Amino acid sequence: MGRPDPEEGQLPAPVKPPDGGWGWIVLLGCFVITGFSYAFPKAVSVYFKELMKDFHVGYSDTAWISSIMLAMLYGTGPVCSIMVNQFGCRPVMLIGGLLASAGMILASFTTNIIELYLTAGVLTGLGMALNFQPSLIMLGTYFDKRRPLANGLAAAGSPVFLSSLSPLGQVLLEKFGWRGGFLIMGGLLLNCCTCGAVMRPLDMGMKRKMGKAQDKYEAKEMLPIGGKSEEGISTTDGTKKGKKAKKKPKKGKKLLDFSIFSNRGFIIYTISKFILVLGLFVPPILLVNYAKDTGVPDTEAAFLLSIIGFIDIFARPACGMVAGLKWVRPHVAYLFSFSMLFNGLTDICSARASNYTGLVIFCVFFGISYGMVGALQFEVLMAIVGSQKFSSAIGLVLLIEAFAVLIGPPSAGRLVDALKNYEVIFYLAGSEVVLSSLFLGIASYCCLNRGKKEPPPENNPSAGGGSDTEEAESDVQEAEEHSSDNHQPAHSTDNAMVAANEEANHVAEEQSGEGGGCPAGDGEVLARDGCNADQMVERDSF
């Protein structure tokens, strides 16, 4: 008697998220991965001036390194989803950490800008993409009730690493040059492998514990039985063989689940996110140059980004805590819409800021709203599609966002060169963010709320803030009942068979004495006319 074999053709029952325990270690790993993924492309810009001197290229040529990193981070979303669904999160993250590190190490030996594009841009960007997406999937696996808080804490890794990697890069550049700095940065990226190693699959630990407990229990119960245990084993084995013959052929697992496009909430989220990304990143990119054009000194202009980062560090966890409140979480999509509206209005109101004080006030409010958007964006997606389809959903969303990233900031830069006016750019970026906010809020209210009344309650899709706990608990309970029914101890099976046989013989004798007509064959009791089919047993086994 061994461990239960999973039913072929069926997906394994989801395990209830622990909302703590080892999940805090997973959260720490996700914090580090998020910090590297978002901050590293920006921190590399510290080395651009030295690269321009060595390779005799312009600023736009070196800026393509960061652009390629971000394009790989967003554009390879479906590839990451396929690899995660095929191999799991941990192996993909380990490979991603090695690729990210190898890219920066190889970049330190490059001799032209094209080689930098291929190493630091493509290879490192792909490695970070293979780490970023699986870490979010694992976070959603380990947290359910505390998931908004977990997403907020993990998202805080971006401003924390941005405020630390940039000064570190400057120190490395001064002491070791850009080649030595790239080499050391590559060593730091090996920490992604450590973060990937702690991403233990949730069902693996549960299966090991249940399997060990089951084996110990069965061994303990089988020892005093003696010869009857062999009969129980043979009977149980025969039952298993009979069940295996009836099993359906195993179905292949989908590498990329396109059925999520039938979810109206996912469609609404994707469209609003595309519009959002068109204008979200424009203000922080143009802020420093905008401040310089208004007469702000260089050091004070650069300090504006530090203000945004400092506020962002506290805004993301705080927003995650608010989103986790019982009366807020069912409406988390509307909170996300409000955060986007807040961000867009901040851009529009600050377009006329003409002094340093006005720019500081803008940075404070922009940091709060930007942190709210960063903390809620993936929480809303998890609430819409659920943890089972999140791996496919995030890959497709990131792919669509990649086009917006390549359209928004470059278009804003060309408008600045053509118009020589930052005010129009801030108005345009803010209007795009406000439009995405209004679309998400109105579409969610009109489409999803009406759709909830049509289907029955048990099949009602979660449009925002729904929890997977109840569904997971019921699935786990059914799995446990199924497992316990198929794996009774040997002596219990033997006793049940003996009792059933004696009762069936007794009934057969009474009915034969009364002429009831239940003829028995040589090897079995046949159920006919007034005989119950449940009384059929095999005598040969005894």
Side-chain angles (χ1 to χ4, degrees):
M1 301 178 67
R3 300 180 189 177
D5 297 329
E7 292 287 342
E8 294 182 2
Q10 297 180 1
L11 294 175
V15 183
K16 179 182 176 182
D19 278 308
W22 189 257
W24 298 116
I25 305 298
V26 174
L27 173 59
L28 178 61
C30 190
F31 176 88
V32 175
I33 294 297
T34 304
F36 275 124
S37 300
Y38 280 118
F40 200 84
K42 302 173 184 177
V44 173
S45 62
V46 174
Y47 302 96
F48 284 176
K49 287 187 177 181
E50 294 296 324
L51 294 175
M52 293 166 60
K53 294 179 182 178
D54 285 4
F55 295 142
H56 306 288
V57 294
Y59 180 81
S60 59
D61 296 324
T62 56
W64 271 104
I65 299 174
S66 298
S67 299
I68 293 174
M69 283 186 181
L70 291 175
M72 295 298 295
L73 180 64
Y74 285 96
T76 57
V79 178
C80 297
S81 297
I82 292 174
M83 294 184 66
V84 167
N85 291 333
Q86 181 69 20
F87 305 107
C89 291
R90 181 189 283 177
V92 173
M93 292 184 68
L94 291 174
I95 295 174
L98 293 176
L99 289 178
S101 176
M104 292 304 295
I105 293 174
L106 292 175
S108 64
F109 298 99
T110 56
T111 57
N112 56 66
I113 194 67
I114 301 299
E115 293 177 356
L116 269 178
Y117 292 160
L118 297 176
T119 54
V122 175
L123 201 58
T124 300
L126 177 60
M128 289 189 296
L130 294 178
N131 275 271
F132 176 63
Q133 187 172 322
S135 66
L136 293 178
I137 296 172
M138 291 300 299
L139 191 67
T141 303
Y142 271 86
F143 288 92
D144 183 28
K145 294 180 180 179
R146 297 178 179 174
R147 192 177 64 202
L149 175 61
N151 277 316
L153 292 173
S158 175
V160 170
F161 272 65
L162 181 59
S163 60
S164 58
L165 285 179
S166 296
L168 176 62
Q170 187 65 39
V171 172
L172 295 177
L173 179 62
E174 294 174 357
K175 291 189 176 181
F176 305 102
W178 70 268
R179 294 186 184 274
F182 275 23
L183 192 62
I184 296 174
M185 285 289 192
L188 290 177
L189 286 175
L190 284 175
N191 287 291
C192 295
C193 295
T194 304
C195 296
V198 303
M199 300 294 174
R200 183 175 63 195
L202 186 58
D203 56 347
M204 180 181 296
M206 299 296 295
K207 285 181 180 179
R208 287 178 179 176
K209 292 180 181 179
M210 294 176 62
K212 290 181 180 179
Q214 182 74 12
D215 291 343
K216 290 181 180 179
Y217 177 75
E218 291 176 353
K220 182 178 179 181
E221 295 293 334
M222 288 171 62
L223 285 177
I225 298 176
K228 293 184 179 180
S229 61
E230 299 179 358
E231 298 176 1
I233 294 174
S234 61
T235 305
T236 307
D237 291 340
T239 306
K240 287 184 178 180
K241 292 179 180 179
K243 289 184 178 181
K244 287 182 179 179
K246 299 179 181 179
K247 288 179 181 178
K248 297 180 181 180
K250 187 175 181 180
K251 299 179 180 179
K253 187 177 180 180
K254 293 182 179 180
L255 298 180
L256 198 60
D257 192 356
F258 289 97
S259 65
I260 55 177
F261 283 104
S262 62
N263 188 337
R264 288 179 294 179
F266 177 75
I267 299 297
I268 294 171
Y269 175 87
T270 304
I271 296 175
S272 63
K273 196 70 186 299
F274 178 83
I275 302 173
L276 170 69
V277 174
L278 288 175
L280 181 64
F281 301 120
V282 172
I285 292 175
L286 302 178
L287 178 62
V288 175
N289 291 333
Y290 178 40
K292 290 179 181 180
D293 288 352
T294 57
V296 178
D298 293 352
T299 55
E300 295 181 359
F303 184 69
L304 293 174
L305 292 178
S306 301
I307 295 175
I308 294 178
F310 181 77
I311 299 297
D312 195 7
I313 291 174
F314 298 97
R316 298 195 182 206
C319 184
M321 294 177 64
V322 173
L325 298 177
K326 293 182 179 179
W327 56 275
V328 176
R329 191 172 185 186
H331 311 288
V332 67
Y334 299 107
L335 180 61
F336 183 47
S337 177
F338 169 77
S339 66
M340 292 190 293
L341 180 64
F342 185 16
N343 185 271
L345 293 178
T346 301
D347 296 340
I348 294 174
C349 295
S350 64
R352 286 184 167 272
S354 57
N355 52 40
Y356 188 70
T357 303
L359 291 175
V360 169
I361 296 175
F362 160 73
C363 290
V364 171
F365 285 99
F366 185 85
I368 296 173
S369 59
Y370 189 78
M372 293 175 64
V373 172
L376 295 175
Q377 56 179 344
F378 297 117
E379 168 60 27
V380 174
L381 181 59
M382 290 180 186
I384 291 174
V385 302
S387 59
Q388 298 296 318
K389 295 184 178 181
F390 181 71
S391 60
S392 297
I394 188 176
L396 295 172
V397 167
L398 290 177
L399 175 62
I400 296 173
E401 286 184 22
F403 294 100
V405 169
L406 295 176
I407 294 174
S411 300
R414 291 183 179 180
L415 287 176
V416 170
D417 295 336
L419 302 176
K420 305 297 181 181
N421 188 349
Y422 288 94
E423 183 177 339
V424 176
I425 306 303
F426 274 75
Y427 279 131
L428 181 61
S431 300
E432 291 170 343
V433 177
V434 170
L435 177 62
S436 67
S437 168
L438 296 178
F439 177 80
L440 177 62
I442 296 174
S444 298
Y445 179 79
C446 296
C447 299
L448 300 183
N449 284 355
R450 292 180 182 178
K452 287 182 178 180
K453 299 178 182 179
E454 299 175 359
E458 60 271 15
N459 296 330
N460 200 10
S462 176
S467 173
D468 297 335
T469 305
E470 296 179 358
E471 181 181 355
E473 288 178 351
S474 61
D475 292 339
V476 171
Q477 184 177 0
E478 292 178 2
E480 291 177 351
E481 292 176 356
H482 179 73
S483 177
S484 61
D485 292 341
N486 291 338
H487 296 277
Q488 295 292 336
H491 73 281
S492 300
T493 305
D494 186 63
N495 293 339
M497 294 291 291
V498 172
N501 184 57
E502 292 179 354
E503 182 178 358
N505 291 338
H506 179 68
V507 173
E509 291 175 359
E510 289 181 354
Q511 291 180 351
S512 62
E514 295 176 359
C518 284
D522 295 334
E524 59 183 356
V525 179
L526 300 178
R528 289 182 181 177
D529 300 330
C531 298
N532 194 338
D534 294 336
Q535 298 172 359
M536 186 187 304
V537 296
E538 293 186 2
R539 296 180 180 177
D540 293 339
S541 61
F542 296 93

